[in-house]
Amino acid sequence: MTMQTTRSSHSPAYTWPEGRHSAFCFTVDVDAESPLLWNLKDETSPRLIGQLEQRLFGPRVGIWRLLDLLDRFAIKATFFVPGVVAENHPELLPAFVERGHEVGLHGYFHEIVSQVSDAEFTGALEASLEIFRKQIGVVPRGFRSPAWEMTPHMLNELKVRGFYDSSLSGFDHPYMIGDVVEVPVQWAIDDAVYFKFVGGGADSWPPSAPGPILDAWLDEWEMLHADGGLLMLTVHDWISGRAHRIRMLEKLLHRITGEPTAWITTVGEIAAHHSNSVNKGRYIVPLRNPELIAERRFGRAN
Ligand SMILES: [Zn+2]
């Protein structure tokens, strides 16, 4: 069956390397226990052992299942790792690198962007870089924001350091924003949206069954492949490392790896391709500073 293209844009089609019609990235946000540690900063937050254990399932079991799954399909993935997760589980970064994967930054304590100052963000970035340098002697090229929010200060820090970003969703192929290469994510292809369930009365709905989500992800991939786009899959160690979700991912990878014109590679490789191809001059959006918009619209800074 030939998939009807859905492309509807004023821009020309995105250009992939010779012989490739679309791209696919398998990314893991290795959050483990880091968001819970960040919550502990607040003295009034409950001290929850149940959620801590669920999250520690990630570094203990889930991440190794994901690594084995990737090996079975010979796929190189990108692992975005908070500094404190690397610090608490020093076996992780070396294992990712040894098995041929890319590693990228993901905050230190998985700091939520709306809760940190510019200076705190920079401090977290530098502390994370130090851990990566110490454990693997490698300075990552990429950054993914915790919970996928960004500020003008953060983008500028990435620009100054020459990092790519993978936290925004303005296209479904790479683009440039504020002089930073953006390799975009999208919430609909993130496992946490459907499967995150922490228990203890904190959740508003039950986790989805994997079947309908697999169908939706396969539809998204088939349409994006026909369109020449990028499918950026994001999973989490402690969520998708559960057995039946590994099975679901296996089915997804079976389908995608069966398509020889799909470029299956790391986020860093995609970012490098963007910078070294005709796409670089085609997809550039200005950085819209929300503070300046507020000033212009309402005559004051918020
Ligand atoms: Zn995260």
Side-chain angles (χ1 to χ4, degrees):
M1 182 178 67
T2 309
M3 198 56 58
Q4 181 101 42
T5 180
T6 58
R7 175 159 295 284
S8 175
S9 164
H10 292 296
S11 311
Y14 196 84
T15 304
W16 296 109
E18 186 68 32
R20 306 293 190 170
H21 196 74
S22 68
F24 168 70
C25 288
F26 192 109
T27 65
V28 186
D29 289 4
V30 192
D31 291 0
E33 75 274 32
S34 60
L36 201 62
L37 299 180
W38 175 246
N39 287 345
L40 291 178
K41 261 188 93 159
D42 174 1
E43 285 172 16
T44 63
S45 80
R47 279 33 186 161
L48 303 173
I49 294 173
Q51 192 181 145
L52 185 59
E53 283 295 303
Q54 271 195 70
R55 289 179 166 280
L56 287 171
F57 173 86
R60 287 177 192 152
V61 181
I63 202 76
W64 307 100
R65 281 192 186 146
L66 287 167
L67 282 165
D68 289 348
L69 172 76
L70 292 165
D71 278 357
R72 287 204 290 284
F73 286 93
I75 287 176
K76 299 299 175 218
T78 302
F79 291 76
F80 293 101
V81 188
V84 73
V85 173
E87 188 186 351
N88 288 351
H89 310 281
E91 68 282 13
L92 292 181
L93 286 182
F96 300 151
V97 173
E98 206 169 287
R99 290 167 84 149
H101 302 293
E102 180 193 11
V103 291
L105 302 164
H106 194 44
Y108 196 84
F109 280 109
H110 204 273
E111 300 85 357
I112 298 301
V113 168
S114 57
Q115 299 173 2
V116 292
S117 66
D118 289 354
E120 282 172 315
F121 170 75
T122 302
L125 192 65
E126 277 165 4
S128 293
L129 279 170
E130 191 47 41
I131 291 271
F132 277 64
R133 260 191 229 108
K134 206 169 86 185
Q135 292 191 344
I136 49 172
V138 169
V139 177
R141 286 183 293 164
F143 174 80
R144 174 168 287 168
S145 165
W148 299 357
E149 195 43 276
M150 290 292 285
T151 64
H153 171 77
M154 290 167 71
L155 264 184
N156 194 54
E157 282 283 27
L158 301 188
K159 176 179 127 180
V160 168
R161 293 157 197 268
F163 291 145
Y164 72 77
D165 180 56
S166 182
S167 316
L168 302 174
S169 313
F171 282 96
D172 45 26
H173 55 65
Y175 62 106
M176 295 279 288
I177 179 165
D179 291 331
V180 173
V181 175
E182 177 63 44
V183 190
V185 291
Q186 59 156 318
W187 281 109
I189 314 291
D190 178 310
D191 64 346
V193 172
Y194 310 102
F195 303 131
K196 181 180 166 187
F197 189 87
V198 295
D203 309 281
S204 307
W205 48 75
S208 304
I213 308 307
L214 174 62
D215 285 349
W217 289 1
L218 281 171
D219 282 349
E220 180 74 7
W221 178 73
E222 283 176 1
M223 295 304 273
L224 282 180
H225 179 66
D227 244 12
L230 161 71
L231 187 79
M232 172 70 77
L233 174 71
T234 303
V235 302
H236 295 76
D237 51 296
W238 66 285
I239 299 173
S240 281
R242 293 290 173 181
H244 68 298
R245 295 184 191 129
I246 292 285
R247 180 79 182 115
M248 169 196 175
L249 292 173
E250 203 165 51
K251 292 176 185 171
L252 180 74
L253 295 183
H254 181 74
R255 173 75 182 88
I256 296 174
T257 55
E259 175 49 67
T261 63
W263 188 29
I264 302 171
T265 190
T266 62
V267 187
E269 286 298 310
I270 302 246
H273 165 72
H274 186 81
S275 298
N276 298 311
S277 64
V278 291
N279 303 294
K280 192 183 179 192
R282 288 181 178 166
Y283 300 99
I284 301 172
V285 299
L287 172 57
R288 292 177 171 81
N289 186 331
E291 196 165 301
L292 298 181
I293 295 172
E295 263 179 63
R296 198 178 322 121
R297 292 279 177 178
F298 306 112
R300 62 182 162 75
N302 274 337

